[in-house]
Amino acid sequence: MMGSHRDTETQRGALSRVPVVRTRAEVREVVREARRAGRTVALVPTMGFLHEGHLSLLDQARAGADVVMMSIFVNPLQFGPAEDLDRYPRDLERDLELAATRGTDLVFAPGAAEMYPHGAPGVQVVPGALAERLCGASRAGHFQGVLTVVAKLFGIFQPDVAVFGQKDLQQATLIRRMVDDLDIPVRVEVAPIVREADGLAMSSRNVYLSASERERALSLSRGLERARALWAAGEGEAAALRAALWSTMAVPGVEPEYAEVVDARTLEPVERAAGGAVMAVAARVGKTRLIDNAILP
Ligand code: AMP
């Protein structure tokens, strides 16, 4: 294991990597320098194990600011006790090389003790009703952990703009709401979902899937495509769209968790699907929990 890892590092020796810092103080120093030079700062928060979806956020960040920074932190606060914190995939060297291909200026990769020197913070960001629906229904405390770490990252970087992915639509909606409700001076942008050629939404967790699970995982994006086609053909009843989503996902080896048509702002279920409404699904494929969504045009 170690040997093969070292071999890969040697092979990659010629590739450039992004400068990486481990402490909040170093980030503050780099940001201070950038500001002194009159440059704007963009932040792309991630948990690493980067794929093309993450890299698309870097591109969007680059379009909106002079300096692009990424954080890579597998945030323990947002994982439940029965979730995959310990086995979540990590490969910082590879991430630094991938981030370099998009001209990233700095990566902040702190350890848990740097982010939470006193253990779990005593003061946290408590989301309201928006966090109880969809993924929140099965992941108690998840969005509180997400908002708390994102608020900390906003405090550390004080970015002009922060870019998130539509892939985690409920998360992006909650972050927008947090920034609005707490008057945090950052512009939140949400970038479209990047998919594999066959439609599967890219996710760091896709690496968990066996070949047969990978095939079954397509039932999520296929359900969204099917429901979108129904809608385009004139079906406006949310119940009919939900049924199409659910039945496409209900195949052996896939355990649907939810299939909903919701208002994009409130995430409340709608009865009739107008343009702008969101179709959102979650399912377990083997042990892996996957999510996907589509906004109706
Ligand atoms: P994660 O590392 O999974 O926490 O994701 C970090 C950021 O990348 C979040 O804002 C995600 O929504 C975004 N992201 C993850 N997967 C994709 C994807 N397939 N397309 C676009 N953005 C994504």
Side-chain angles (χ1 to χ4, degrees):
M1 201 50 195
M2 282 302 288
S4 67
H5 188 65
R6 236 184 321 238
D7 291 346
T8 342
E9 278 183 3
T10 320
Q11 281 160 17
R12 290 185 186 137
L15 294 175
S16 59
R17 61 211 274 292
V18 175
V20 58
V21 298
R22 302 288 191 167
T23 65
R24 293 167 287 169
E26 287 166 291
V27 173
R28 290 213 168 93
E29 186 49 40
V30 176
V31 170
R32 222 179 349 251
E33 282 291 313
R35 295 234 176 275
R36 217 176 280 141
R39 310 180 80 199
T40 54
V41 174
L43 171 65
V44 176
T46 78
M47 298 205 298
F49 211 70
L50 302 182
H51 49 67
E52 199 58 36
H54 297 114
L55 302 183
S56 76
L57 306 187
L58 290 171
D59 293 341
Q60 181 153 336
R62 171 60 62 202
D66 303 319
V67 179
V68 174
M69 304 192 188
M70 171 178 265
S71 61
I72 296 182
F73 179 55
V74 183
N75 173 34
L77 224 51
Q78 70 190 66
F79 286 78
E83 293 185 357
D84 57 345
L85 173 62
D86 292 335
R87 67 183 195 118
Y88 195 85
R90 294 162 168 90
D91 189 342
L92 183 61
E93 282 306 316
R94 178 173 161 277
D95 288 349
L96 296 176
E97 288 165 8
L98 285 171
T101 64
R102 304 302 173 98
T104 311
D105 295 292
L106 187 80
V107 164
F108 175 45
E114 173 65 17
M115 286 298 272
Y116 304 123
H118 315 295
V123 175
Q124 301 195 16
V125 181
V126 181
L130 266 183
E132 279 153 28
R133 309 192 22 71
L134 302 175
C135 293
S138 69
R139 302 191 73 188
H142 168 69
F143 289 114
Q144 177 168 329
V146 169
L147 292 188
T148 300
V149 80
V150 170
K152 276 178 73 78
L153 292 168
F154 286 171
I156 295 164
F157 286 83
Q158 305 198 356
D160 299 276
V161 49
V163 187
F164 297 87
Q166 184 199 315
K167 164 82 188 338
D168 300 275
L169 183 121
Q170 188 172 17
Q171 165 176 291
T173 306
L174 275 158
I175 289 165
R176 281 212 155 115
R177 180 61 76 80
M178 172 177 78
V179 160
D180 193 27
D181 285 350
L182 303 184
D183 287 301
I184 301 176
V186 57
R187 188 172 83 243
V188 173
E189 293 187 6
V190 180
I193 301 175
V194 177
R195 299 179 177 281
E196 303 286 357
D198 59 7
L200 181 69
M202 289 193 184
S203 163
S204 305
R205 288 190 168 99
N206 290 349
V207 71
Y208 296 148
L209 301 170
S210 69
S212 61
E213 288 170 345
R214 170 73 182 70
E215 177 58 31
R216 284 181 221 133
L218 285 174
S219 62
L220 281 79
S221 54
R222 284 190 184 139
L224 291 167
E225 269 166 40
R226 211 177 127 211
R228 194 174 9 210
L230 280 176
W231 186 79
E235 180 56 81
E237 287 296 326
L241 302 178
R242 271 201 315 271
L245 294 168
W246 194 273
S247 65
T248 314
M249 286 195 297
V251 297
V254 178
E255 207 181 300
E257 183 183 302
Y258 64 74
E260 294 201 44
V261 185
V262 299
D263 178 90
R265 205 178 49 81
T266 64
L267 305 183
E268 290 293 327
V270 294
E271 283 192 9
R272 291 203 55 87
V278 174
M279 303 187 293
V281 294
R284 228 165 251 290
V285 181
K287 284 195 175 123
T288 307
R289 187 177 177 280
L290 299 176
I291 57 173
D292 201 349
N293 68 81
I295 302 175
L296 289 170

